[in-house]
Amino acid sequence: MTAQHIWAVCLLAMLIPVIAKADGFPDRYVVTVLEHPEGNGTKTLVPFDLDENNRITGFAFHGYGLDMTRQPFLYSDGNLQIVPAKWDYTEGHQLAADGTAFGIDDTTDSIIHIDPSGATAVASATFGAFTGLTHVTTSGFVLGLDYDDGFVWQADIGYVRLSTLEGSTASTYAADVNESGIVVGTNNFNNGSASRAFFWDGSVLSDPAPDLSGTTRCVAVDQQDRLVLAHAPDGFWPGGGLHTIYLATLDDGTLTLDDPVASISAAYNFDVIANDHGEIAMSWHTNNEDPHLLLTEPGGIAATSLTLPPDMIAIELTGITDAGMVYGRFLDAQYTSHGFVASVESGVHLIGHRLIGAPPLSPYGTPRDANASGAMIISWDHNYNYGHWALIEPALGGDADGTWTIDINDVLSVIAAWGPQPAGSICGPDLNMDSVVDVNDLLEVLEHFDL
């Protein structure tokens, strides 16, 4: 044992009796870079979906131009498998509850079901170049978009193109589906001055709020059959008018509009998203281009305005987990992307300097997906579609080196980094994120030390 090891063990023995529980340490993340098992620059992975068990599906991108191929992959427990497929343009998009996936084959225009043994077509349709699946429910409903035209598939009802149904118009944008099979979205989606919300319960498409003037959009339906409805009397584009958000109850095809969750005036680039529990996040800009973020509180519809980091000029919402964590990205004045997470309880956190066990992941892009445990897929060092990706998972308390164990190496890691930490560095031993490694960080390691 080296002298450094002996010193650290002695210090450990002295401090264990006086350890006090340290609450309120910000979340940090352990990084796993998602790499093609065969490596090299022409073979990259594009992840699409992350589930509650940290399983991932997407496609493996190989080659360029006419030689480009795409094969689906499944990732679970650190193991990544390229799924054998007989097609050249095959992608995994959404995970099912059993860890299999659904995706799209662009060559044969098919919705496919993917398991470790291969991919099987379950429905055929005419798809465009920008077709993707967006939701899969445990009851078997698969929702997707062909550009802005929505469709749904389920084994009992088959494939349904929503724009072919009675009550639909061109560009029938499908936004969400719940376990009951209720689909919601917006008719005439691309017309910001004439779009109308719709819901579909298996019969005709219906306008849930025909008495609301101007334009409406339905952005989500939760598991209690409540619709998140946006209303803009003066239109959604280019914005600047009044935007009112409702969490409305749907009962036997009749919508009850209670008091609005929020009414926002002079809102430009307004965006609203929601989770399966009816928790809502809203973002927008005002005339002076300051971004704003408003979240409803867990278990209720009271809305809280969050304080954003300084010098941010734009905000983009990507999603909201079932735990109420919102994720997306900011742009600063230099147009650099900063991935963020936010909640009513914890406020807004940038994720770029909260990573341990990571190579230099810079610049940080938008989190693509996240789950209720706080794990995320993030992009880095390239563009959003065909760059590099990583899985980040919340670190254990006291884990200074990102190895998922708290032992003498974590003590040594803290000691080696003792003193000031530059702002924005990989956090590692700075466990409480206060820009200095000191006795407080050591105490956290000792609190969780695996004796």
Side-chain angles (χ1 to χ4, degrees):
M1 181 178 290
T2 67
Q4 189 181 34
H5 280 80
I6 295 171
W7 184 86
V9 171
C10 292
L11 181 62
L12 174 64
M14 290 187 293
L15 287 176
I16 283 178
V18 298
I19 291 174
K21 181 173 178 58
D23 295 321
F25 287 106
D27 289 337
R28 299 170 304 120
Y29 303 93
V30 175
V31 176
T32 302
V33 175
L34 298 174
E35 297 179 304
H36 195 291
E38 299 177 20
N40 85 49
T42 67
K43 299 180 179 181
T44 59
L45 298 178
V46 182
F48 273 82
D49 189 35
L50 170 72
D51 72 5
E52 299 305 317
N53 297 303
N54 289 1
R55 296 177 297 205
I56 303 171
T57 193
F59 71 87
F61 175 74
H62 173 57
Y64 297 98
L66 296 177
D67 296 325
M68 181 180 67
T69 62
R70 303 177 187 179
Q71 298 290 299
F73 74 81
L74 297 172
Y75 174 93
S76 179
D77 296 326
N79 298 314
L80 188 144
Q81 178 185 354
I82 305 297
V83 176
K86 59 185 177 182
W87 307 296
D88 290 333
Y89 295 90
T90 310
E91 303 178 354
H93 285 183
Q94 293 289 313
L95 288 156
D98 60 0
T100 62
F102 287 88
I104 293 291
D105 175 62
D106 292 339
T107 304
T108 61
D109 281 344
S110 300
I111 299 174
I112 56 173
H113 180 244
I114 303 162
D115 64 32
S117 65
T120 304
V122 298
S124 297
T126 301
F127 294 140
F130 300 99
T131 300
L133 303 183
T134 59
H135 298 77
V136 172
T137 70
T138 56
S139 53
F141 288 94
V142 177
L143 193 69
L145 289 168
D146 180 3
Y147 190 58
D148 284 334
D149 198 15
F151 57 87
V152 63
W153 175 86
Q154 201 252 4
D156 293 333
I157 66 173
Y159 173 83
V160 178
R161 188 85 166 199
L162 298 174
S163 59
T164 66
L165 298 174
E166 180 184 348
S168 67
T169 65
S171 185
T172 306
Y173 184 92
D176 198 10
V177 60
N178 68 4
E179 295 293 341
S180 302
I182 295 175
V183 180
V184 301
T186 305
N187 266 323
N188 209 5
F189 178 79
N190 290 315
N191 189 335
S193 62
S195 59
R196 298 296 301 180
F198 77 79
F199 75 91
W200 181 68
D201 57 6
S203 54
V204 299
L205 266 73
S206 302
D207 188 334
D211 295 334
L212 292 180
S213 62
T215 58
T216 58
R217 288 181 178 174
C218 200
V219 300
V221 56
D222 70 8
Q223 300 307 336
Q224 301 178 53
D225 292 349
R226 296 181 299 180
L227 275 55
V228 178
L229 188 74
H231 175 220
D234 300 319
F236 288 103
W237 186 261
L242 178 68
H243 293 71
T244 303
I245 307 301
Y246 296 92
L247 182 61
T249 303
L250 184 65
D251 186 14
D252 292 330
T254 301
L255 195 74
T256 301
L257 288 177
D258 296 321
D259 292 337
V261 173
S263 292
I264 301 163
S265 59
Y268 293 85
N269 299 322
F270 184 80
D271 194 13
V272 55
I273 57 176
N275 65 13
D276 284 343
H277 304 303
E279 295 171 306
I280 306 169
M282 293 153 275
S283 68
W284 70 96
H285 298 79
T286 53
N287 281 328
N288 59 6
E289 297 187 351
D290 286 339
H292 297 266
L293 179 60
L294 191 69
L295 307 183
T296 58
E297 297 177 2
I301 61 172
T304 299
S305 180
L306 300 188
T307 300
L308 306 187
D311 303 321
M312 300 300 170
I313 63 171
I315 182 172
E316 175 185 299
L317 302 182
T318 304
I320 178 172
T321 72
D322 285 343
M325 183 185 80
V326 179
Y327 52 97
R329 69 167 176 163
F330 297 115
L331 288 180
D332 63 21
Q334 287 72 45
Y335 298 98
T336 300
S337 291
H338 299 270
F340 76 89
V341 295
S343 68
V344 172
E345 301 92 336
S346 301
V348 178
H349 289 171
L350 301 182
I351 65 174
H353 64 297
R354 297 173 177 272
L355 309 177
I356 57 178
L361 306 186
S362 179
Y364 303 96
T366 307
R368 169 158 276 181
D369 200 9
N371 62 23
S373 69
M376 286 178 279
I377 300 168
I378 64 168
S379 63
W380 57 280
D381 198 36
H382 213 295
N383 63 51
Y384 186 58
N385 289 314
Y386 300 113
H388 301 285
W389 298 86
L391 170 67
I392 62 173
E393 301 167 85
L396 298 175
D399 186 0
D401 56 9
T403 60
W404 301 108
T405 58
I406 296 88
D407 55 19
I408 191 63
N409 292 315
D410 296 288
V411 175
L412 294 174
S413 203
V414 168
I415 294 170
W418 203 269
Q421 285 288 296
S425 65
I426 299 299
C427 56
D430 186 9
L431 299 176
N432 61 1
M433 303 289 293
D434 63 353
S435 298
V436 63
V437 177
D438 57 16
V439 68
N440 294 311
D441 302 294
L442 183 59
L443 287 174
E444 183 178 344
V445 174
L446 300 182
E447 178 188 359
H448 298 278
F449 198 88
D450 185 6
L451 297 175

